[in-house]
Amino acid sequence: MTTGQVLARLDGRERCGVKDSFATMDLGGEGMELLFSATWLHRDAEPGRRRALPAGWVAVSSPQELSEWTALHDTRDVLLPALLRRAHFRILARYAEGRIVAGAVVRLGSGAVDVSNVYAVPGHRVDWGELAAVAGAFFPDRPLVGYERGDALAAALDGGFVPVGELRVWVRQRPR
C-alpha cells in the first residue's frame, strides 16, 4: 500500500492509527504523530527441543486468572475469556511466590508463532530464552516472531531473537 492510499482511507477520521509494518511511510507531515518505532524480531524453530514448561510458567486457564493477568498488563477489556478456548492462542503467566510476575501472549499463525504483550511487574524481568521455551512447549517446531523496543528489545536480543526489520505506529488524536 502506498502512503497516498493509506491517507485516502484515513480521510475524514479525526482519530486513527496506522501500523507501518516496514517503516517506509513518513506520515508526520500529514497530521499524524509517531506513537512509537520498534524492531521486528525472529527466532528460529528448535526442532526436538524439550517440551516441558520452565518452572513457574503456565497457560492462563480461568477467567479469574485472566482477570488478574489483564489487570497487571492493562488489557482488561482487550483480552477476553473467550480467548482461553482458542487452540491457536495462549496467554502465558509466570508465577513467583504465588503471584503473577510476568506474562506474554503467543498465537500460532500460518507457520510461525507470534509473541506479544510481553511484560513483567516491577522487580521482575522476562527471560526471553525461557519465554521461547514456553512458546515451544505449546507450539513445537515453529519459529517465533514479534516486535519490541527499548529494554524489552534488548532482553529479546539477549534471549536469542534476531532483528529483521523496523516498524512504526502512527496516530492522529485530534482534528486536522
Side-chain angles (χ1 to χ4, degrees):
M1 215 173 204
T2 68
T3 301
Q5 289 171 319
V6 169
L7 292 172
R9 292 203 177 191
L10 300 179
D11 192 38
R13 296 182 189 192
E14 291 183 9
R15 296 179 187 270
C16 55
V18 173
K19 182 177 179 182
D20 176 6
S21 295
F22 303 101
T24 58
M25 295 183 215
D26 181 1
L27 301 174
E30 304 296 336
M32 305 289 286
E33 296 175 28
L34 183 63
L35 182 62
F36 67 85
S37 294
T39 300
W40 284 110
L41 299 166
H42 179 269
R43 183 176 165 135
D44 286 333
E46 296 182 358
R49 185 180 171 121
R50 184 181 97 166
R51 301 290 179 238
L53 287 175
W57 285 95
V58 301
V60 171
S61 61
S62 72
Q64 296 80 14
E65 191 177 24
L66 179 61
S67 179
E68 181 182 350
W69 193 102
T70 58
L72 294 168
H73 187 257
D74 194 26
T75 50
R76 182 158 295 170
D77 295 325
V78 178
L79 299 176
L80 303 175
L83 290 172
L84 299 176
R85 296 187 299 273
R86 296 190 179 244
H88 67 285
F89 201 91
R90 294 289 186 284
I91 299 170
L92 307 172
R94 184 172 188 287
Y95 280 84
E97 299 176 4
R99 66 184 186 97
I100 296 174
V101 297
V105 172
V106 292
R107 183 191 62 81
L108 179 60
S110 57
V113 176
D114 178 51
V115 179
S116 67
N117 298 87
V118 179
Y119 77 94
V121 300
H124 293 269
R125 66 177 196 78
V126 174
D127 177 327
W128 280 71
E130 189 176 83
L131 179 57
V134 176
F138 288 105
F139 303 113
D141 305 328
R142 304 289 182 132
L144 305 177
V145 297
Y147 64 84
E148 289 296 343
R149 60 194 175 113
D151 292 341
L153 173 60
L157 296 175
D158 287 346
F161 286 75
V162 295
V164 293
E166 300 299 315
L167 72 110
R168 295 183 198 132
V169 174
W170 298 88
V171 295
R172 180 184 300 146
Q173 299 180 357
R174 58 185 177 280
R176 290 176 51 154

